[in-house]
Amino acid sequence: MTITKTPAIDTARDWVRVLAKYREPNALRSSFELAISLVPFVVLWVLACWTAQYSYLGAFLISVVNGGFLLRLFCIQHDCGHGSFFGNRYLSDWVGRSLGVLTLTPYDVWRRAHAIHHSHAGDLDHRGMGDIKTLTVEEYQQRSRFGRLRYRTYRHPLVMFGLGPGYMFLLQNRVPYGFMKHNKTYWISAMGTNAAILAIMSVIVYFGGWAALFLVMLPSSLVAASVGVWLFYVQHQFEQTQWDEHADWQLHEAALHGSSHYDLPVVLRWFSANIGIHHVHHLYSRIPFYRLNEVLRDHEELVECSRMTLLESFKCANLDLWDSANRRLVSFKAARQLAHA
């Protein structure tokens, strides 16, 4: 019997060849994952519209629950953007574009911004596109009083996880933000998505009235948006994350040590499509989400790498600035103490 040994893993880059064997999606499994996410979403959507005729509260509560399925559909769209959901890239892209109508996200615009995020995550000299804005302690201290106020407002939890997600998905996504001067592909993506969203909204209003629109579509979208932004936040905004200036920045080191393993309870892991196994995802983004658990099962050393639980993650909401000297994210209060010291 021939025993296959795992290649020696000395650096984060070595993980790439180890993880390559997990990259192939299974078309049947992918179709099943799509079906068990999309069908309940549509059923709950119809049920909420019907319930709105008799109980506004009932329709609202159903829509809040449905936000979980919408979140999962966004995560599937995310895999489509990486070409990891179906082996056929054309099929993946059109599934992603179709889901983008439900998630209020122009697929081609998002895919490009997200690719930039993956190629520059943790690089202090390439911040901005596809990232949550993060200043260093020095940059924050050098800002004017008004500039510091703007940044503190932006990082406040009520804005970051409340007003911000609604603004981004309902308004900002309506134009190809960041790519307005690029080729027409991004305009076609944004305007085509907008037209499809408008058509769906018109059908909802025609059959269910305005109450159905505001009690069915809006709550699901806002819940999915807020939870999605929170997930993206804790995947990179944790105390021991990794940021470096470009000269010292290494793509695979930043992927492994600058992305968290958000170890969620089983139910939340299902609704978020294993996106919490983010360090593995950044190391090899072509792995389908349903194979990420397989990676952790086979390689226990990745389980504890940058691991945090749901309870531990809540303190990340108060981390706002990168302390380059101590190489950690700190709160505004800690930054003030550093300044006084």
Side-chain angles (χ1 to χ4, degrees):
M1 180 177 65
T2 302
I3 300 176
T4 302
K5 295 183 178 180
T6 301
I9 303 172
D10 298 318
T11 66
R13 187 183 183 91
D14 294 332
W15 277 109
V16 175
R17 66 177 189 273
V18 173
L19 298 176
K21 70 176 185 177
Y22 300 95
R23 65 174 285 171
E24 293 302 324
N26 180 293
L28 186 60
R29 175 67 184 274
S30 293
S31 300
F32 173 75
E33 296 290 348
L34 178 60
I36 62 174
S37 306
L38 183 59
V39 172
F41 173 77
V42 173
V43 170
L44 287 177
W45 208 356
V46 173
L47 179 61
C49 287
W50 178 81
T51 304
Q53 303 174 71
Y54 309 99
S55 171
Y56 287 167
L57 178 60
F60 174 79
L61 293 177
I62 293 172
S63 299
V64 169
V65 172
N66 210 16
F69 288 99
L70 184 58
L71 172 67
R72 198 169 200 267
L73 290 173
F74 183 88
C75 293
I76 291 175
Q77 175 188 325
H78 165 268
D79 266 26
C80 289
H82 284 291
S84 61
F85 197 64
F86 289 110
N88 185 309
R89 187 62 194 245
Y90 182 83
L91 177 60
S92 282
D93 284 342
W94 277 105
V95 169
R97 291 185 182 107
S98 301
L99 293 178
V101 176
L102 301 178
T103 63
L104 309 182
T105 306
Y107 173 77
D108 293 283
V109 179
W110 170 85
R111 182 179 63 175
R112 177 56 181 156
H114 193 66
I116 294 173
H117 160 69
H118 266 260
S119 61
H120 293 298
D123 187 341
L124 286 172
D125 296 321
H126 292 88
R127 286 170 284 171
M129 180 62 67
D131 285 322
I132 290 173
K133 187 175 184 179
T134 306
L135 296 180
T136 66
V137 173
E138 294 78 10
E139 289 169 341
Y140 175 74
Q141 292 171 344
Q142 291 168 6
R143 285 197 163 197
S144 66
R145 181 175 297 179
F146 180 67
R148 291 196 295 270
L149 177 61
R150 287 180 58 194
Y151 183 71
R152 290 179 73 96
T153 302
Y154 168 78
R155 298 286 299 203
H156 194 284
L158 290 177
V159 175
M160 182 69 68
F161 312 116
L163 298 175
Y167 166 77
M168 181 170 66
F169 282 88
L170 297 178
L171 299 177
Q172 182 177 298
N173 278 355
R174 307 288 60 83
V175 295
Y177 182 75
F179 302 101
M180 296 177 70
K181 296 181 180 180
H182 291 65
N183 65 55
K184 61 183 181 180
T185 298
Y186 305 113
W187 280 104
I188 293 173
S189 176
M191 297 306 113
T193 302
N194 292 344
I197 292 171
L198 183 60
I200 290 177
M201 290 172 60
S202 299
V203 171
I204 292 174
V205 172
Y206 180 79
F207 287 102
W210 289 100
L213 181 66
F214 289 104
L215 292 172
V216 176
M217 183 175 182
L218 193 60
S220 297
S221 298
L222 292 179
V223 167
S226 294
V227 176
V229 169
W230 168 255
L231 288 171
F232 184 73
Y233 179 90
V234 297
Q235 286 158 6
H236 298 284
Q237 302 277 319
F238 56 99
E239 186 175 4
Q240 301 300 327
T241 188
Q242 183 166 309
W243 290 80
D244 288 290
E245 294 182 355
H246 186 70
D248 301 316
W249 177 79
Q250 296 291 330
L251 175 65
H252 301 97
E253 290 292 333
L256 180 60
H257 300 294
S259 308
S260 67
H261 171 202
Y262 195 18
D263 196 357
L264 292 168
V266 174
V267 173
L268 297 181
R269 201 181 307 156
W270 187 88
F271 277 108
S272 59
N274 295 328
I275 198 65
I277 310 176
H278 212 61
H279 58 323
V280 176
H281 168 67
H282 262 257
L283 273 172
Y284 210 108
S285 62
R286 291 295 301 274
I287 299 175
F289 77 83
Y290 49 79
R291 299 199 68 181
L292 291 174
N293 277 324
E294 186 181 342
V295 174
L296 295 186
R297 184 197 65 199
D298 293 347
H299 304 283
E300 293 183 1
E301 57 269 52
L302 288 174
V303 174
E304 294 301 323
C305 184
S306 300
R307 178 180 175 271
M308 77 171 84
T309 64
L310 179 63
L311 187 61
E312 291 170 339
S313 71
F314 294 138
K315 64 182 180 181
C316 295
N318 292 321
L319 301 177
D320 305 288
L321 298 163
W322 174 249
D323 177 6
S324 299
N326 295 298
R327 297 191 58 75
R328 60 192 177 99
L329 275 178
V330 298
S331 64
F332 289 118
K333 180 179 179 181
R336 284 197 303 273
Q337 293 172 344
L338 287 170
H340 292 315

